């Protein structure tokens, strides 16, 4: 069984370039066309999108995304990110967010019927760039995590709870320790996150974790602090926020989670889209916009 994880479309519904540089609709179009061209044996059981679908969470952006993901040759399930709006998710993507009434408004749900079990956990905080887990979501996860103790399980979130080493992105994660304690109750679980626009493979509190690359922009891997000794005068003048605040216009990429026996292997794959890899460019918003 295979699950394909894609992430961080940052699609705008107003025709502007995301962060003033990225043609995210072109990147999404090429990504959808690529997946539609796959052979039957290359297709997953389903796709999971780990957040930041529409830049600014606008209805116009989600209308475009809804049309595009409905073209995919397999079902698609979605996870909210810091740029997303929960109310639009529940209204516009009912099939892609099979949320039960007891956990609403949080976009948390499970897919239980396949050899790999999927758990989606909403880590978004309205109006915030950083993420975390609420008490209600934690209680829900505590109940769900042990329901199928022998089944390999993927937990999908937008925000990673661990320190990545990219200072601008390491803003903390509410109840990270509690999340680790819950996940450790399952002996065959992997945490799969978005948000970072680059792939990171790590162990966190004994839990294997991975972050997904982006469809639209690939993060510059830079470990410098904003006040570090290697920051240049020009970067200081441009309000450099530390590593993790700039991107390249790279090719879209994704992850394949593939079950072999009782082990899930994760593969990184790049989509050939003739990107020019210009940059790095800052994640710079238009006037009046924010996270």
């Amino acid at each position: 069984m295979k699950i394909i994880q894609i992430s961080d479309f940052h699609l705008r519904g107003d025709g502007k370039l995301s962060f003033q540089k990225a043609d995210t609709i072109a990147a999404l179009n090429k990504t959808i066309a690529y997946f539609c061209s796959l052979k039957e044996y290359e297709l997953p059981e389903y796709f999971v999108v780990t957040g930041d679908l529409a830049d600014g969470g606008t209805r116009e952006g989600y209308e475009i995304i809804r049309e595009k993901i409905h073209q995919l040759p397999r079902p698609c399930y979605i996870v909210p990110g810091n740029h997303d709006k929960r109310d639009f998710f529940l209204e516009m993507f009912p099939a892609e967010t099979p949320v039960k009434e007891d956990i609403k408004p949080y976009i948390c749900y499970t897919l239980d019927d396949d050899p790999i079990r999927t758990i989606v956990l909403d880590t978004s905080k309205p109006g915030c760039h950083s993420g975390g887990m609420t008490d209600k979501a934690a209680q829900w996860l505590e109940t769900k995590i042990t329901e199928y103790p022998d089944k390999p399980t993927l937990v999908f979130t937008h925000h990673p709870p661990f320190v990545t080493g990219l200072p601008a992105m390491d803003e903390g994660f509410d109840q990270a320790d509690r999340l680790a304690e819950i996940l450790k109750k399952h002996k065959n679980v992997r945490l799969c996150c978005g948000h970072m626009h680059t792939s990171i493979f790590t162990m966190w509190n004994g839990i294997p974790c991975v972050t997904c690359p982006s469809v639209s922009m690939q993060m510059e891997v830079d470990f410098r602090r904003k006040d570090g000794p290697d920051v240049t005068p020009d970067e200081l003048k441009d309000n450099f926020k530390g590593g993790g605040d700039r991107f390249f216009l790279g090719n879209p990429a994704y992850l394949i989670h593939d079950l072999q026996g009782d082990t899930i292997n994760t593969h990184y794959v790049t989509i050939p889209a003739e990107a020019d890899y210009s940059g790095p460019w800052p994640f710079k918003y238009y006037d009046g916009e924010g996270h």
Side-chain angles (χ1 to χ4, degrees), residues 2 12 22 25 36 91 103 107 120-121 133 150 181 192 245 254 281:
K2 298 189 293 293
R12 298 188 68 103
I25 184 61
C36 288
E91 173 194 345
I103 190 59
I107 311 295
V120 165
L121 178 67
M133 184 175 62
D150 299 322
E181 289 303 314
C192 306
D245 194 48
Y254 63 98
W281 308 108

Side-chain angles (χ1 to χ4, degrees), residues 88-236:
F88 283 154
F89 267 44
L90 294 171
E91 173 194 345
M92 301 177 71
F93 300 99
E96 292 80 18
T97 55
V99 179
K100 295 184 177 179
E101 290 296 328
D102 63 338
I103 190 59
K104 287 182 179 179
Y106 300 108
I107 311 295
C108 298
Y109 55 91
T110 65
L111 305 172
D112 300 331
D113 297 336
D114 298 301
I116 296 175
R117 187 185 192 214
T118 284
I119 299 177
V120 165
L121 178 67
D122 186 347
T123 61
S124 63
K125 300 191 298 182
C128 293
H129 188 261
S130 62
M133 184 175 62
T134 65
D135 287 338
K136 184 173 182 178
Q139 292 164 7
W140 176 88
L141 183 61
E142 284 176 333
T143 299
K144 296 297 180 182
I145 196 68
T146 57
E147 287 181 340
Y148 295 84
D150 299 322
K151 185 175 284 192
T153 296
L154 298 177
V155 176
F156 289 96
T157 70
H158 179 66
H159 300 86
F162 54 86
V163 175
T164 69
L166 302 178
M169 298 293 280
D170 286 332
E171 303 171 294
F173 184 98
D174 297 348
Q175 302 206 73
D177 291 343
R178 186 176 181 185
L179 176 59
E181 289 303 314
I182 295 171
L183 294 183
K184 285 194 290 187
K185 295 178 181 179
H186 194 300
K187 300 304 180 185
N188 196 355
V189 65
R190 177 169 302 170
L191 181 62
C192 306
C193 311
H195 193 53
M196 296 305 298
H197 291 246
T198 189
S199 272
I200 304 170
F201 299 84
T202 192
M203 294 289 289
W204 171 67
N205 288 285
I207 303 157
C209 304
V210 61
T211 67
C212 190
S214 172
V215 162
S216 55
M217 297 158 281
Q218 304 307 323
M219 183 76 78
E220 176 192 33
V221 178
D222 182 349
F223 303 113
R224 294 178 299 163
R225 303 185 313 274
K226 65 180 180 180
D227 56 353
D230 297 321
V231 178
T232 68
D234 285 343
E235 288 173 327
L236 288 173

Side-chain angles (χ1 to χ4, degrees), residues 51-99:
D52 282 358
L53 278 70
D55 229 12
T58 66
R59 179 179 291 277
E60 294 78 12
Y62 288 132
E63 286 173 347
I64 297 171
I65 290 166
R66 181 170 58 184
E67 176 188 353
K68 296 302 177 183
I69 65 175
H70 285 174
Q71 297 172 12
L72 288 169
R74 289 290 187 272
C76 182
Y77 298 96
I78 58 178
V79 181
N82 49 283
H83 285 266
D84 293 313
K85 298 290 191 296
R86 289 191 187 115
D87 52 351
F88 283 154
F89 267 44
L90 294 171
E91 173 194 345
M92 301 177 71
F93 300 99
E96 292 80 18
T97 55
V99 179

